[in-house]
Amino acid sequence: MGIYIAGTGLFTPNESISNEELVKSYNAYADLFNQQNKEAIEKGDLEELTYSSADFIYKASGIESRYVLSKEGILDPQRMKPKFKKRKDNEPSIQAEIAIKASKEALKNANIEIDQVDGLICACSNLQRAYPAVSIEVQQELGIQGYAYDMNVACSSATFGMQNAVNDIKAGVAETILVVNPEICTAHLNFKDRDGHFIFGDVCTAVVITKVNDSSTENFEVIDTKLKTSFSNNIRNNFGFISKNEDLDLYSDDQLFKQEGRKVFKQVVPMVEELIANHLKENNLLVSDIKRLWLHQANLSMNSLIAKRLLGRDPNEDEMPTVLNRYANTSSAGSIIAFHKYSEDFRKGDLGVICSFGAGYSVGSIIVQKT
Ligand code: COA
């Protein structure tokens, strides 16, 4: 029995922020901070904040801009975080709203009707509430029968969710499952942290996984999936339902995304290379059989190095498409955006690998072949 990716969907926010705009607001915040804390800085009790640089951001990450759901709030030097209006319990939540948009596009591209969908998995790095599950809200809004659940494996949520969908279909409990990734990354990013304020953007992707091989759509068969995790504190976010019981300042840096970027780079590259290499081997495939790597989008040099180590030479853009220049890191959605935007040229039989990696550490590899 074949299992297919029948269609993908992408919701991109209307607003975007360039590196230059982001740096301008950070530098204004730094000036304010230094002014307000002049005495403490002079006494040596506090460190003066130094300016961020658009050139540094581009050189260190490959990021040029990012799409965001709340530009004004992020760029306000007095605020430095997105601003969302509190919605009533009977209004659609913001995460469900973007998930619905991406899901509808994926279903349309897959030529799949709502009544054919048996389940929905909302897989992403951050969920806006504990319960009821965001996925069940999306399920209700779309009118899907069956079951829905939320899951989180940080930047690998999408690929882990896709493996769950494939396994449920193999097990016979579903024929078609929608996996949706509403990544509102700016809400957990510390825009006051010069080392990381440029990293993330907002987006939502959706993927329809099905055993229905409809000849009217151009599917990708899922050849195999492989996951790997290994605990690390180098990417961490301590915010959780226990935080307020620990009498913590919920606005402190500790309650936002933090990472040891250099360590992540060094440790994750070999992990990803090894997982993809082993995955291909187990499926009797050579790296040269693979037309394209749709990699997680966090850092351009990191992706180039992974591809280079696998290929034994520098990759070209066609073998390793990049979206992080415009989208920045969109957590688990990144490799799916790359797949969504750069898979139309595939011909029957062409093979590719969708690969995520990030916090956990977690890595997910999905080998697909155009039908
Ligand atoms: N503007 C100007 N200078 C900056 C800066 C900014 N915004 N941020 C940091 N710097 C400075 C640092 O202070 C440091 O200065 P120093 O050499 O005098 O100490 C220098 O630039 C290098 O900083 P560093 O943090 O070591 O940069 P880097 O080259 O490691 O790049 C990342 C940072 C985060 C872009 C990079 O490490 C990365 O992407 N790693 C992978 C992370 C990843 O994939 N994470 C997954 C997240 S889900």
Side-chain angles (χ1 to χ4, degrees), residues 60-317:
S61 67
I63 297 166
E64 292 169 53
S65 64
R66 67 284 297 139
Y67 292 97
V68 297
L69 287 167
S70 162
K71 180 168 178 167
E72 204 183 327
I74 293 168
L75 291 186
D76 177 355
Q78 308 271 7
R79 181 176 172 86
M80 303 296 277
K81 60 185 177 196
K83 189 172 177 69
F84 299 126
K85 193 171 153 273
K86 165 86 178 117
R87 298 181 181 193
K88 297 195 182 86
D89 287 356
N90 62 2
E91 289 178 304
S93 60
I94 187 159
Q95 217 165 13
E97 190 178 286
I98 65 173
I100 289 161
K101 288 180 182 164
S103 297
K104 283 187 176 164
E105 188 183 294
L107 289 166
K108 190 167 168 245
N109 289 339
N111 204 16
I112 294 259
E113 298 297 327
I114 288 289
D115 59 11
Q116 291 175 270
V117 182
D118 305 304
L120 184 142
I121 302 170
C122 175
C124 58
S125 283
N126 286 277
L127 290 152
Q128 79 177 90
R129 60 171 181 260
Y131 43 83
V134 172
S135 56
I136 304 178
E137 187 186 351
V138 178
Q139 174 194 13
Q140 158 84 11
E141 291 292 324
L142 290 175
I144 294 171
Q145 300 300 311
Y147 64 90
Y149 62 88
D150 293 349
M151 56 173 279
N152 171 6
V153 200
C155 290
S156 284
S157 299
T159 51
F160 277 55
M162 285 162 77
Q163 173 166 296
N164 274 5
V166 167
N167 287 346
D168 271 6
I169 296 168
K170 275 188 193 158
V173 296
E175 285 199 0
T176 300
I177 296 183
L178 190 57
V179 182
V180 65
N181 324 105
E183 294 287 10
I184 306 182
C185 301
T186 57
H188 67 102
L189 179 56
N190 186 354
F191 286 97
K192 294 179 180 174
D193 169 27
R194 188 183 72 131
D195 289 0
H197 72 122
F198 52 87
I199 289 176
F200 288 117
D202 302 326
V203 81
C204 184
T205 48
V207 182
V208 177
I209 313 265
T210 183
K211 71 173 193 184
V212 182
N213 189 7
D214 179 351
S215 55
S216 69
T217 54
E218 295 189 355
N219 294 340
F220 279 82
E221 182 171 359
V222 177
I223 301 298
D224 198 23
T225 63
K226 189 175 174 74
L227 312 178
K228 168 90 183 160
T229 51
S230 169
F231 188 72
S232 167
N233 269 324
N234 289 332
I235 315 170
R236 193 167 171 113
N237 184 336
N238 281 325
F239 177 73
F241 78 102
I242 299 284
S243 296
K244 65 181 184 314
N245 309 106
E246 294 171 326
D247 298 329
L248 295 174
D249 171 5
L250 296 182
Y251 293 98
S252 72
D253 296 356
D254 177 63
Q255 300 291 293
L256 294 162
F257 167 89
K258 54 188 176 185
Q259 73 167 349
E260 294 280 348
R262 291 244 158 148
K263 286 189 188 157
V264 174
F265 195 115
K266 268 199 190 145
Q267 292 165 2
V268 170
V269 167
M271 208 176 148
V272 176
E273 180 201 356
E274 194 185 328
L275 186 91
I276 296 179
N278 287 342
H279 198 195
L280 293 176
K281 217 179 196 176
E282 285 160 16
N283 284 277
N284 298 317
L285 291 169
L286 300 170
V287 177
S288 55
D289 294 328
I290 299 301
K291 182 179 163 83
R292 190 160 297 157
L293 297 165
W294 296 283
L295 296 178
H296 173 55
Q297 304 282 315
N299 180 295
L300 186 55
S301 318
M302 200 170 173
N303 283 8
S304 302
L305 186 57
I306 290 166
K308 186 177 176 174
R309 286 168 71 144
L310 281 164
L311 294 165
R313 58 172 170 77
D314 285 326
N316 59 47
E317 181 62 22

Side-chain angles (χ1 to χ4, degrees), residues 16-33:
S16 68
I17 299 178
S18 68
N19 287 347
E20 288 72 20
E21 288 173 297
L22 193 72
V23 163
K24 194 174 161 210
S25 99
Y26 177 87
N27 292 350
Y29 160 75
D31 284 341
L32 270 175
F33 178 92

